[in-house]
Amino acid sequence: MATTSRVARPRLSSTGDALRPDSNGSTRERLTALAFIAPALLGFAVFYFWPTLRGVYFSFTEYDVFNAPVFVGLDNYRALFADATFGNAMLVTVEYVAINIISQTVLALLIAVLLHRVTRSVFVRSIVVMPYLVANVVVALLFYWMLDAQIGITNQFLGWLGIEPVAFFGDQNLAIPTIALVNTWRHVGYTALLLFAGMVMIPHDVYEAGRVDGASEWKMFWRITLPLLRPVLALVLVITVVGSFQAFDTVAVTTAGGPGDASRVIQYYIFDLAFQRLQFGYASAVSVVLFVILAAVALVQLKLMRAGESDVA
Amino acid sequence: MATTAAAPLDTEALLDRSAGGGGRPRRGPGRILAWVALVLIMAATLFPFLWMIRTAFSNGAALSTQPASLLPVEPTLGAFRRVLGLASTEEAQAQGGSGAAIDFGRYLLNSVLVSVLITAGQVFFGALAAYAFARLRWPGRDTVFFLFLTALMVPPIFTQLPNFLLMRDLGLLNTYAAIVLPFFFMTPFAIFFLRQFFLGIPHEVEEAARLDGAGPLRRFFGVILPMASGPITTLAILQYVQAWSEYFWPLLVASEENVRVLTVGLGIFRAQTPQGTPDWSGMMAGTLLAALPVLLLFAVFSRKIVNSIGFSGVK
């Protein structure tokens, strides 16, 4: 599990330092380092650091993108509390994340176990990860077509079973589950491969011992695989949950937030506010909130993960 | 999407070690059931691709006559001609197209250009930075690395709103530069991915070159970089796929025809028929054109890609 802990707590000093005790290096080495780091530092400063500061500043302003921003203090944040569309966007996003993450994690676990216990074929793994290589937009349109209410193949199939055509993207109650499951289709194989890589690191004699003791595959999954996989699983969950909160592409090309506000997830709402309603300041305030939520989610999950690590190692 | 990173991990090496059956279940009804499940999963993965191809080669106007046929309905290349801008308005409309001008050939070139530039920048500058973080000693190194780590925590949309303004103020809207620049110099993932690999190279390797009088520059280009060709290829493929799939950012800064990339083009194509029957076969021809280049890349490098996905390449 060494790799995993490295992800959670990247080692800030490299192993190589043991070679020479002076940690600041020679002048020549310092100059080289400066030259090597300069492009990345420039990119970081201009496209990450500066816009982060600006984003926070804009969240305290009223800004229509054309005229100079006007400082309004906490007005945007106050407005958030009264904004029913924002509340709805949060709800819809949470529903999306819940459906997406639960279905994706359960399925990915199943696939990973199959890959781990049944076959190690690279071919099978390649097939499973294929959807991940295709753009979100492509997957979204493909399913928009397959799930079409009139001549989509899914509804033809449902028709044979005697079920009336379903407007998957056009129904208030179905839009979010549909979009969530479409994204599950794209990401599940990749998630399964991450979990699979975690399973491969479990020493195989543990399973050998389990079999000698007459444990069933079912039992071994619950008693061996899952407990030993917990740190990896937690890490994968942090990444998938944080990613899931930022769903945009699929919504943008299929429902555009509709019907009504039924699929107006938070990221689409921000886009909508900034670029269609030109409320850039308010959009920034909403994205500050999204930022805080994601940081909190990641922090809580990483805490849980560290708790998990201790009882495994 | 949010990215986090760690070491390039070679799943294959681990697999080899655990080969030899290590406690894997033998035959029996359970194993047959497991294979049935696997086949079903693969079918569910592949069927949509099959449907994409089947529809792309169909005559759009005839799709509704045989909506469940597994083979293309009235097979034709019309959909491709249409989305590549080769068909006349009449020909397009006769096969269910909107007739509006659309040029996926151009978008394809734009996508290739933009993705190649982004990948080249990220890999090259990422390798430089990763080397400085992993194998050079300089004051403030750990602080800067920690700062870069925090960049992973910021949701892309948060920086993309101000970055859009920056591009506008620089007069770069609707240029390739606008699409490429924010990703070009630095992506935390590339730096962490390569840093982890560089950390793992034994110091003796570089020390030998050092004793021969090679400075850091020559050690990087002459010794370390050639050793890293494997991870660099993997990283390049991952970043290429990522750049190829990007939709939000190019949508903000480059929606005009001449710089439009495939994802944005597809979104616009979809919006051209908001009411009535969409041009399904045209849409699927477009998605096929957008999916094919990465799938071909994948076909060539699948073993490498599949084995390098671990929490290694968590992304």
Side-chain angles (χ1 to χ4, degrees), chain A residues 55-56 58-60 74-81 83 86-87 89-91 93-94 245-246 266-267 269-270 273 281-297, chain B residues 153-155 157-158 161:
Chain A
V56 173
F58 286 140
S59 78
F60 297 110
L74 289 170
D75 280 8
N76 287 328
Y77 292 94
R78 273 190 217 107
L80 271 176
F81 288 98
D83 181 355
F86 170 72
M90 287 307 302
L91 267 178
T93 307
V94 169
F245 262 100
Q246 299 173 63
I266 198 81
Q267 181 123 338
Y269 186 47
I270 295 172
L273 283 171
Y282 189 53
S284 299
V286 178
S287 54
V288 168
V289 173
L290 176 66
F291 186 1
V292 171
I293 291 173
L294 291 184
V297 166
Chain B
M153 291 299 299
V154 183
I157 191 164
F158 193 79
L161 296 185

Side-chain angles (χ1 to χ4, degrees), chain A residues 6-7 11-12 14 17 24 29 33 65 117-118 133 144-145 185 190 194 208 211 232 239 246 253-254, chain B residues 6 15 23-24 31 44 55 137-138 141-142 156 168 195-196 199 248 270 280 298 307 310-311 313-314:
Chain A
R6 236 178 272 152
V7 183
R11 289 174 301 171
L12 289 177
S14 60
D17 285 349
N24 284 337
E29 201 167 326
V65 194
R117 305 294 295 157
V118 179
L133 298 168
Y144 187 63
W145 157 229
W185 182 81
Y190 187 78
L194 294 177
E208 196 68 69
R211 244 227 334 259
V232 176
I239 289 138
Q246 299 173 63
V253 296
T254 57
Chain B
L15 282 178
R24 273 163 69 186
R31 202 168 163 75
T55 311
R137 289 171 297 269
W138 43 285
R141 181 182 67 185
D142 295 351
R168 185 198 62 175
R195 173 181 177 267
Q196 220 60 35
L199 282 177
F248 190 73
R270 142 87 176 101
W280 293 120
F298 181 58
N307 281 321
F311 1 25
V314 171

Side-chain angles (χ1 to χ4, degrees), chain A residues 8 59 78 80 85 112 152 156 171 213 251 302:
Chain A
S59 78
R78 273 190 217 107
L80 271 176
T85 317
Q156 301 303 314
D171 184 304
D213 290 347
V251 171
L302 284 173

Side-chain angles (χ1 to χ4, degrees), chain A residues 138, chain B residues 52 56 79-80 83-84 103-105 108 244 262 266 282-294:
Chain A
V138 167
Chain B
M52 180 196 282
F80 292 96
V83 298
L84 290 170
D103 186 359
F104 271 85
L108 191 71
W244 187 267
L262 276 166
L266 280 170
M283 195 188 284
M284 288 303 106
T287 56
L288 190 59
L289 286 175
L292 213 53
V294 275

